[in-house]
């Protein structure tokens, strides 16, 4: 049997399938007389649950880093939410019921309320409020909310996995996880990628799969159940090949990105968080070519402060020990929504109020980010680039804001260094005015993901159009040449940070066009290096 889903992390896993059943607490409604005693029980259980979350946070902090661990702090804060605690307390008091039942009912009510909201971010909170309620109930019932246990390494199947469950997985025992629900942007998916476990979401596996042999194909997004022997042999061979390829690629660490006839190109890596810098270093990238800073905002419950951002950017700069770190300023909006921005629903969000448009409108938010980046620049080599640029005027306005930020830092005697400024070329408008833009900045980085969607008028999020979303379209390739030529004529270095940069069938073409840099996901760095070294 073969079931398809969406891959969250690539790789191949082969092993026994195990279904992870949540320890759904069966809670009975009981009439009680001693209301104060029940209120006290709830209070005690809430404190214990908070202490558990603290421990989980510390564990996650060590294993998956600050940004990903933050979810447990959020859960702890949810347990302090006055609406939540008041709801439980008033149910106990007015209905004279046991604390377990009041917690379960409150969890259900809040979860249904969140699930009914339009906002995807709030929808995601529905699972979390259930998660914290189950934790409190487990404490009340004298259990500890434990990690799923498995004796031998398994492919774990679940309806959904709460972040707290994911992080508690004993990695040595889990080969992969596969869930029916969840989205590619959920905390669970982000944690999964960080944990390097091949994973699939949106897989409607049958309930009787447990105990059978399975294969997870994280390349094609497939779960195979009880495959025939020859398929198993085929996948075992592929897994071996994967391992072998990885070993061979590692031999390229420390080698130069140079063709046989002496042409060079920089290969940098794309990251979404400071934690990913470890992968950049492990894969020997020459720098960070795209730090998607919006993930700091997406993982947060409120606007991240200047200090929080400064700490993150500084850490990235320090970890890269002087190698370049290109920070892309906030690219929120469209598919990347943070509810606290209070953005309106839009008919056409990809062409809507997003990225630099928000930053130039809500300059207070932008200024905080720029201050944090400039302050961090003192600790390494930082460059800044701006997303979704369509005009020279936008760049000039940005430069004015930066001048103001620098003046403030000077006045406060806060140190910073010179920072290269760049424009992301991801709109056809930016391509067409690239000669003018090149006079304003130090570098260009082509965002081929968006450039393809805007040039071909194909929504990059629409799976129905995947078949015609073609970044090899001659229109895109001509644009890439134009950007390289105009950039160089204006004294800029030029790079590509969209997914196309990692397409090794085009590496030769990019070198021919004169690109100076390709920024790819960390796992692709050595593969692109390998391609470069074959050429010439
Ligand atoms: C792009 O559009 O190519 C890009 C690199 O940015 P993002 O994928 O984050 O929109
Ligand atoms: Mg983009």
């Amino acid at each position: 049997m073969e079931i398809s889903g969406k891959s969250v992390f690539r790789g191949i896993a082969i092993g026994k399938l195990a279904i992870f059943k949540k320890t759904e607490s069966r809670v009975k409604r009981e009439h009680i007389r001693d209301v104060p005693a029940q209120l006290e029980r709830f209070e005690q259980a809430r404190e214990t649950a908070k202490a558990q979350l603290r421990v989980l946070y510390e564990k996650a902090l060590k294993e998956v880093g600050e940004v990903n661990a933050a979810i447990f702090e959020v859960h702890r804060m949810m347990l302090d939410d006055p609406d939540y605690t008041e709801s439980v307390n008033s149910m106990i008091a007015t209905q004279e019921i046991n604390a377990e039942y009041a917690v379960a009912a409150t969890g259900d009510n809040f979860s249904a309320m969140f699930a009914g909201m339009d906002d995807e971010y709030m929808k995601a909170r529905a699972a979390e409020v259930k998660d914290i309620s189950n934790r409190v109930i487990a404490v009340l019932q004298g259990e500890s909310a434990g990690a799923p246990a498995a004796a031998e390494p398994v492919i774990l199947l679940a309806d959904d996995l709460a972040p707290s469950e994911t992080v508690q997985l004993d990695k040595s025992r889990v080969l992969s996880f596969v869930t029916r629900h969840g989205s590619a942007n959920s905390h669970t998916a982000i944690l999964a990628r960080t944990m390097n476990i091949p994973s699939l979401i949106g897989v409607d596996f049958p309930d009787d799969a447990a105990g059978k042999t399975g294969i997870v194909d994280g390349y094609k997004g497939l779960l195979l159940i009880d495959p025939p022997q020859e398929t198993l042999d085929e996948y075992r061979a592929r897994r071996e090949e994967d391992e072998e390829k990885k070993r061979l690629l590692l031999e390229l660490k420390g080698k130069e990105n140079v063709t046989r006839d002496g042409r060079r190109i920089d290969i940098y890596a794309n990251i979404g968080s400071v934690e990913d810098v470890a992968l950049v270093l492990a894969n020997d990238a020459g720098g960070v070519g795209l730090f998607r800073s919006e993930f700091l905002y997406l993982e947060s419950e409120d606007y991240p402060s200047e200090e929080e951002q400064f700490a993150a950017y500084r850490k990235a700069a320090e970890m890269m020990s002087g190698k370049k770190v290109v920070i892309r300023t906030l690219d929120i909006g469209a598919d990347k929504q943070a509810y606290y921005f209070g953005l309106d629903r839009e008919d056409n969000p990809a062409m809507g109020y997003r990225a630099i448009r928000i930053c130039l409108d809500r300059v207070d938010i932008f200024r905080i980010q720029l201050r944090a980046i400039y302050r961090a620049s003192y600790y390494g080599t930082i460059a800044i680039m701006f997303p979704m640029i369509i005009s020279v005027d936008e760049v000039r306005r940005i430069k004015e804001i930066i001048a103001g930020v620098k003046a403030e830092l000077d006045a406060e005697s806060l140190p910073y260094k010179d920072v290269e400024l760049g424009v992301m070329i991801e709109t056809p408008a930016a391509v067409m005015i690239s000669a003018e833009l090149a006079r304003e900045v130090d570098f260009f980085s082509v965002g081929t993901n968006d450039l393809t969607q805007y040039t071909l008028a194909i929504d990059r999020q629409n799976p129905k159009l995947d078949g015609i979303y073609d970044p090899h379209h001659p229109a895109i390739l001509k644009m890439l040449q134009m950007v390289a030529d105009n950039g160089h004529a204006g004294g800029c270095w030029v790079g590509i940070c969209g997914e196309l940069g990692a397409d090794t069938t085009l590496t030769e073409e990019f070198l021919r066009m004169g690109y100076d840099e390709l920024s790819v996901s960390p796992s692709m760095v050595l593969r692109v290096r390998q391609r470069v070294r074959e050429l010439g």
Side-chain angles (χ1 to χ4, degrees), residues 272-533:
S273 71
V274 178
E275 284 68 36
D276 297 343
V277 176
L279 298 174
V280 176
L281 297 171
N283 288 286
D284 196 31
V288 171
L290 165 64
F291 183 159
R292 289 185 162 96
S293 69
E294 56 277 3
F295 280 96
L296 281 172
Y297 293 73
L298 294 176
E299 304 242 338
S300 189
E301 293 287 300
D302 203 346
Y303 299 102
S305 66
E306 179 180 323
E307 289 310 316
E308 280 171 80
Q309 293 192 58
F310 167 59
Y313 305 143
R314 172 179 171 171
K315 194 164 169 200
E318 284 178 341
M319 283 176 80
M320 290 302 294
S321 342
K323 288 184 179 158
K324 196 176 288 180
V325 177
V326 181
I327 299 176
R328 189 257 298 277
T329 58
L330 182 61
D331 187 15
I332 208 97
D335 53 318
K336 297 174 195 142
Q337 293 285 340
Y339 81 98
Y340 56 86
F341 274 74
L343 302 179
D344 293 333
R345 277 182 81 79
E346 295 176 304
D347 285 342
N348 236 329
M351 298 196 207
Y353 187 62
R354 56 173 295 198
I356 201 69
R357 301 168 185 182
I358 297 181
C359 289
L360 287 174
D361 187 40
R362 297 178 62 179
V363 180
D364 49 332
I365 298 173
F366 196 32
R367 203 175 278 127
I368 288 170
Q369 180 171 41
L370 289 170
R371 278 181 60 99
I373 299 176
Y374 266 94
R375 283 175 58 196
S377 70
Y378 185 69
Y379 301 89
T381 307
I382 281 182
I384 313 180
M385 67 181 177
F386 306 97
M388 288 292 294
I389 292 294
I390 56 166
S391 72
V392 170
D393 178 59
E394 284 169 338
V395 179
R396 295 208 175 123
R397 279 155 65 203
I398 291 167
K399 291 207 289 198
E400 269 169 35
I401 296 168
I402 288 177
V405 163
K406 284 180 168 176
E408 276 173 24
L409 296 179
D410 287 338
E412 295 165 44
S413 305
L414 288 169
Y416 58 88
K417 284 196 201 156
D418 263 348
V419 169
E420 281 185 335
L421 300 182
V423 159
M424 280 192 79
I425 304 286
E426 48 184 353
T427 63
V431 175
M432 299 314 288
I433 59 164
S434 48
E436 289 81 0
L437 288 170
R439 289 198 280 273
E440 299 289 331
V441 291
D442 305 302
F443 69 97
F444 285 163
S445 187
V446 187
T448 49
N449 309 337
D450 277 318
L451 186 60
T452 305
Q453 96 163 333
Y454 296 124
T455 304
L456 305 185
I458 292 174
D459 181 352
R460 69 192 254 198
Q461 307 280 20
N462 188 336
K464 273 204 193 117
L465 303 176
D466 276 354
I468 55 168
Y469 178 94
D470 175 20
H472 287 223
H473 193 290
I476 305 295
L477 298 178
K478 280 189 182 176
M479 285 179 158
L480 282 167
Q481 182 68 69
M482 189 173 174
V483 171
D485 291 346
N486 285 337
H488 286 147
C492 287
W493 61 265
V494 289
I496 297 175
C497 64
E499 294 302 304
L500 195 66
D503 185 336
T504 48
T505 66
L506 287 176
T507 312
E508 189 165 17
E509 188 68 4
F510 297 148
L511 276 159
R512 194 195 54 69
M513 289 179 179
Y515 274 88
D516 304 293
E517 179 245 23
L518 300 172
S519 191
V520 301
S521 66
S523 59
M524 289 301 292
V525 170
L526 294 173
R527 241 177 279 178
V528 178
R529 173 173 300 165
Q530 186 180 41
R531 180 72 191 133
V532 170
R533 295 173 64 86

